[in-house]
């Protein structure tokens, strides 16, 4: 496919983005250290690709997907995670600016909020992602976990009207074919 294209004709940011997306796909097919290496490479390359305005939203989506996967991995250790939280939040805020109504963007930003221990915000973003057309298979695990974690923080349990509204929305979304 690329045989007729001379070296240097493709913008480096585009090459980095496509390479990051390939690493992300490869990470989903592996486990352990190779998986973490692919996620780390995807995050690094996607962040570099995000410097080009024409790639920014797509690159941030890729970078955040990889960073959330790293944060949620079993091999993830808390001390190394702390510096990643502000970085992820900054990238997530930028993605929200670029794609405020994008279903995938809202879903990934919800995952960031959940990974940074903000389950209420994650639930709100999941509801927005659902309304924007996010796929149930990718959205519902994030929404269910955020809902359960938020419910665990309420006193008295499950009496907050905002939680009730979003919980009902989650139940309706999970029962929709």
């Amino acid at each position: 496919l690329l045989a007729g294209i001379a070296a240097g004709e493709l913008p480096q940011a585009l090459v980095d983005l496509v390479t990051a997306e390939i690493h992300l796909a490869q990470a989903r097919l592996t486990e352990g250290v190779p998986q973490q290496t692919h996620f780390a490479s995807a995050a690094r390359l996607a962040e570099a690709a995000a410097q080009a305005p024409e790639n920014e939203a797509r690159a941030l989506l890729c970078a955040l997907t990889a960073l959330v996967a790293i944060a949620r991995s079993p091999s993830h250790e808390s001390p190394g995670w702390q510096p990643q939280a502000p970085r992820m939040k900054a990238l997530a805020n930028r993605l929200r600016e670029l794609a405020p109504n994008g279903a995938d963007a809202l879903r990934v930003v919800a995952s960031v909020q959940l990974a940074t221990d903000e389950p209420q915000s994650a639930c709100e973003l999941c509801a927005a992602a659902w309304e924007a057309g996010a796929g149930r298979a990718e959205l519902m695990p994030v929404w269910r976990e955020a809902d359960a974690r938020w419910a665990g923080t309420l006193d008295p349990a499950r009496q907050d009207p905002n939680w009730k509204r979003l919980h009902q929305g989650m139940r309706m979304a999970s029962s929709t074919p």
Side-chain angles (χ1 to χ4, degrees), residues 18 23 32 62 66 79 116 128 141 145-146 149:
V18 171
H23 276 289
C62 180
T116 58
E145 184 178 346
R149 286 178 46 192

Side-chain angles (χ1 to χ4, degrees), residues 56-61 64 91-110 125 128-129 132:
E56 191 174 8
R58 184 173 148 198
L60 289 173
L61 191 64
L64 286 167
L91 296 174
N93 288 339
R94 180 63 184 146
L95 182 57
R96 289 256 350 242
E97 290 172 9
L98 294 169
N101 300 312
D104 288 335
L106 290 165
R107 177 186 48 78
V108 169
V109 174
L125 287 160

Side-chain angles (χ1 to χ4, degrees), residues 109-136:
V109 174
S111 296
V112 169
Q113 295 300 314
L114 185 59
T116 58
D117 202 28
E118 296 185 33
Q120 179 178 354
S121 178
C123 282
E124 291 164 352
L125 287 160
C126 284
W130 178 254
E131 290 297 319
R136 186 168 29 150

Side-chain angles (χ1 to χ4, degrees), residues 34-171:
Q35 182 180 53
Q36 295 306 306
T37 301
H38 283 300
F39 281 137
S41 294
R44 180 180 45 79
L45 289 164
E47 281 188 75
Q51 301 308 308
E54 65 274 13
N55 299 332
E56 191 174 8
R58 184 173 148 198
L60 289 173
L61 191 64
C62 180
L64 286 167
T65 300
L67 290 169
V68 166
I70 291 167
R72 297 180 62 83
S73 72
S75 62
H76 171 266
E77 296 182 23
S78 299
W81 161 243
Q82 294 306 323
Q84 299 298 323
R87 173 178 162 210
M88 283 178 54
K89 285 184 176 189
L91 296 174
N93 288 339
R94 180 63 184 146
L95 182 57
R96 289 256 350 242
E97 290 172 9
L98 294 169
N101 300 312
D104 288 335
L106 290 165
R107 177 186 48 78
V108 169
V109 174
S111 296
V112 169
Q113 295 300 314
L114 185 59
T116 58
D117 202 28
E118 296 185 33
Q120 179 178 354
S121 178
C123 282
E124 291 164 352
L125 287 160
C126 284
W130 178 254
E131 290 297 319
R136 186 168 29 150
E138 290 182 317
L139 180 64
M140 293 315 298
V142 175
W143 202 347
R144 284 186 189 106
E145 184 178 346
D147 178 76
R149 286 178 46 192
W150 183 16
T153 67
L154 298 174
D155 187 35
R158 303 174 189 249
Q159 295 304 311
D160 181 277
N162 197 29
W163 177 84
K164 285 182 177 182
R165 179 181 57 80
L166 291 168
H167 179 74
Q168 182 63 29
M170 180 198 66
R171 291 180 61 210

Side-chain angles (χ1 to χ4, degrees), residues 5-32:
I5 298 175
E9 283 188 33
L10 290 174
Q12 187 59 46
L14 180 59
V15 173
D16 287 346
L17 177 55
V18 171
T19 304
E21 290 172 336
I22 291 168
H23 276 289
L24 193 57
Q26 289 174 323
R28 292 177 175 142
L29 300 173
T30 60
E31 294 179 3

